[in-house]
Amino acid sequence: MARSALAVLAFLLCLFPSQIPAQLAVGLTGNTSLRLQPPNDTLCAHRIRPAGYHCSEHTVQTKDGYLLALQRVSSCTGDIKEQRGPPVLLQHGLFMAGDVWFLDSSEQSLGFILADNGFDVWVGNVRGTRWSYGHISLSEKDKDFWDWSWQELALYDLTDMISCINSITNTKIFVVGHSQGTIMSLAAFTQPDIVEMVEAAALLSPISYLEHITAPFVLRMVNMHLDQMILAMGIHQLNLRSDWGVNLLDSICDGHVDCNDLLTSITGKNCCFNNSRVDFYLEYEPHPSSSKNLRHLFQMIRKGTFSKYDYGLFKNLKLYGQSKPPVFDLGRIPKSLPLWMAYGGNDDLADLMDLQRTLKELQSKPELLYLENYGHVDFMLSVNAKKDLYDNIILFLRSWGRPSSF
C-alpha cells in the first residue's frame, strides 16, 4: 500500500469507532488475519456500558502496523460528544489491559471516578492484549508479531495513542500510568515531539530503573535466566493463561519460592487488595505479553540501566551505531512538564532506591505521595484507593487543567 494511503487509513482509524475502520483495513491490505472483536466482546460492552457509562471504541494504527483499541468514556450524566473536561489517557501495566481501570465498582475504579469528575477518559490497550485488534499484515501466530518490548510500547503504542487523542480533542492531554505504563511514559516523554502534546502526568508505582527490586518470584526467574531460556525454546508469546504458562509458574514455585501467596511473592504485600474478588479479576487478567518484553525488563534488573533493548555487540552496532544500547535520558524530560508520583512502602517492584535515582536524574521535582502500607497492586485495586490515592490524582490534574473545564 502506498505511504499516503497508510497515512489516511491511520487517520480514519483514529477518528472513528473500531469495527468499520478495521474492516476497511482488511479491504485495503488484503489481510484476512485481523482479530475483529464482535460488538458484544469489547471492553465497552463487558465492563463500561453495563455500569451505565457512555463508551465508544476507537482504533489506533501504530507506525509499525499494530491495531490498538482505545475506549472513550464519559459519565452516565454526560454526553461523550460534548467534552466536559480535559482528556486523560489511562495506561495499564505489564500483563494487564485497559479493563484493570474498571474492575471494581464505579465508586472504587479510577476510570469511572475520573469520568464522574468530568474528565474525558481515554483507555489504552497495548499490542497483544485481548482488546486490541492485531496487525495490518501479521497474525498473532507469527513470530514477528511478538518481536517487541516496552521500547516499542513507548515509542509506538503510547506515542500513537497520544497523537490520536490530541488530533481528536485538539488539546494537550493528561497521562496516568501504572507500573509498565510509567516506564512507557517516562521513555516517551524524553521525545520532544511527544511531550509537547502532554499537559501533565500522574505515575503510580513509577519505574524506570529496576536494579533493586526485592520480589522473590521475579528474582528467582532472573537468576534462572528464564527469559533467555524461553526465547531459546522459540517461545515468543508469553501467555500465562495457557497450559504452558501455568506449568511454568508451577515449576518456578516448586521447592524454590513459597508461592502460597503468588501475588505477594511478585508484587509485595498488598494491604488493601480485596481477596474475595480474585476469581472475578482472573476473568480478565493476566493478558499476554511478549517474551522479548520480559527479556528487556530482566536486562534492566541485571544491568541497572534504563535503556533500549540490548541485542548484543554486533546487532547493537548495526541498529544503534554503538556497542551498548542508547539510554533513555530522564534529563531530557522538560522541567516544565508537571509530574506527580505515588509509591508504596510494600512495593517489591518499584523500589525506593530506584525511585530516588529516577528523581535525581529528572530536571523537575515531581509531587510525591508515599503510602506506607501499599503494595504494587494496591495502586490499582485497593478498596481504599479513592481516599488514599485517586482524590489526590484528581486534585493534581485539576490544578493543571483548564479552570473552565469543570
Side-chain angles (χ1 to χ4, degrees), residues 114-134:
L114 287 172
D116 285 338
N117 277 271
F119 290 92
D120 181 15
V121 178
W122 293 80
V123 187
N125 301 269
V126 302
R127 61 187 66 185
T129 54
R130 172 179 176 181
W131 310 115
S132 286
Y133 305 106

Side-chain angles (χ1 to χ4, degrees), residues 67-88:
L67 298 172
L68 313 177
L70 264 180
Q71 290 80 31
R72 191 179 192 183
V73 184
S74 70
S75 119
C76 49
T77 58
D79 185 343
I80 204 166
K81 296 179 181 179
E82 298 178 6
Q83 181 174 314
R84 300 173 59 219
V88 181

Side-chain angles (χ1 to χ4, degrees), residues 175 177 182 185-186 189 201-208 330 333 337-344 354-362 364-371 379 389 392-393 396:
V175 174
T182 72
S185 298
L186 290 168
F189 296 162
L203 307 179
L204 314 179
S205 297
I207 296 171
S208 58
L330 293 169
I333 299 176
L337 177 68
L339 296 174
W340 182 95
M341 299 181 177
Y343 61 106
D354 291 327
L355 175 60
Q356 288 173 337
R357 182 177 178 185
T358 299
L359 295 173
K360 184 177 180 180
E361 294 184 10
L362 290 169
S364 63
K365 292 185 178 181
E367 295 183 37
L368 300 175
L369 175 65
Y370 175 62
L371 298 171
F379 288 91
L389 185 64
N392 291 278
I393 293 176
F396 168 74

